[in-house]
Amino acid sequence: MAKCKKIRKRFDEINVIPFIDIMLVLLVMVLTTATFVNQGIIPIELPSAKAASKEDLKKEVTVYVNAKGELFIEKEKVDLKTLEIRLSKLSKEQTVVLRSDKESRFQDFVSVMDILKRLNHEQLYIVTKEN
């Protein structure tokens, strides 16, 4: 009876493909959770003053144009003249956000842009929806 002798194969290489797979999964997990981390928050306690006056500056003013062509500034219905008067009272550094319905007429959008240009407002954001 012949004995079967096993020949051992020499182990010279390491298969790194499973290691790469694990590292890619870890990388994806780190990148997805890293966007939710608050950065740059330094806890400080502000000094108090008795004669301080609080400035009521909003960071942004929102102008809406709905599908019917109606104009709203901060959820208050206005016409073009009133919109121009209200926007003229704003500081030039204050941000104006324009939200226009996709079904609204292009002329309504252009009218609002024309008012902002005449008033030299350069801080403008136009809000769109990502597809």
Side-chain angles (χ1 to χ4, degrees):
M1 199 173 208
K3 285 189 176 181
C4 214
K5 188 175 179 183
K6 284 188 173 180
I7 300 174
R8 290 191 161 203
K9 185 177 177 186
R10 216 171 129 186
F11 186 68
D12 286 341
E13 299 175 3
I14 296 176
N15 190 1
V16 294
I17 293 177
F19 177 72
I20 293 171
D21 291 341
I22 290 171
M23 293 308 290
L24 287 175
V25 168
L26 289 175
L27 178 66
V28 167
M29 290 173 58
V30 166
L31 290 177
T32 55
T33 57
T35 59
F36 300 113
V37 176
N38 288 335
Q39 295 177 355
I41 297 177
I42 301 171
I44 59 169
E45 189 172 332
L46 296 174
S48 60
K50 292 182 181 178
S53 64
K54 183 179 177 185
E55 290 187 34
D56 191 21
L57 287 177
K58 290 184 178 180
K59 291 194 177 201
E60 58 187 36
V61 174
T62 307
V63 176
Y64 300 91
V65 180
N66 67 7
K68 298 175 188 174
E70 299 169 328
L71 300 171
F72 296 86
I73 183 166
E74 294 298 324
K75 300 181 181 179
E76 178 186 333
K77 188 175 177 179
V78 293
D79 60 349
L80 276 174
K81 235 180 224 186
T82 310
L83 178 68
E84 186 169 3
I85 292 169
R86 294 273 303 269
L87 290 176
S88 67
K89 294 178 183 176
L90 297 177
S91 138
K92 304 295 183 234
E93 289 80 31
Q94 197 161 11
T95 304
V96 177
V97 179
L98 178 57
R99 295 177 179 262
S100 181
D101 192 283
K102 68 178 182 179
E103 300 297 324
S104 66
R105 294 181 314 151
F106 187 64
Q107 181 59 49
D108 299 327
F109 175 80
V110 171
S111 298
V112 174
M113 293 296 292
D114 186 41
I115 290 171
L116 290 169
K117 184 170 174 92
R118 269 186 281 150
L119 296 174
N120 294 322
H121 273 283
E122 294 182 5
Q123 298 292 329
L124 172 69
Y125 290 106
I126 300 171
V127 179
T128 60
K129 184 170 68 171
E130 185 176 331
N131 284 333

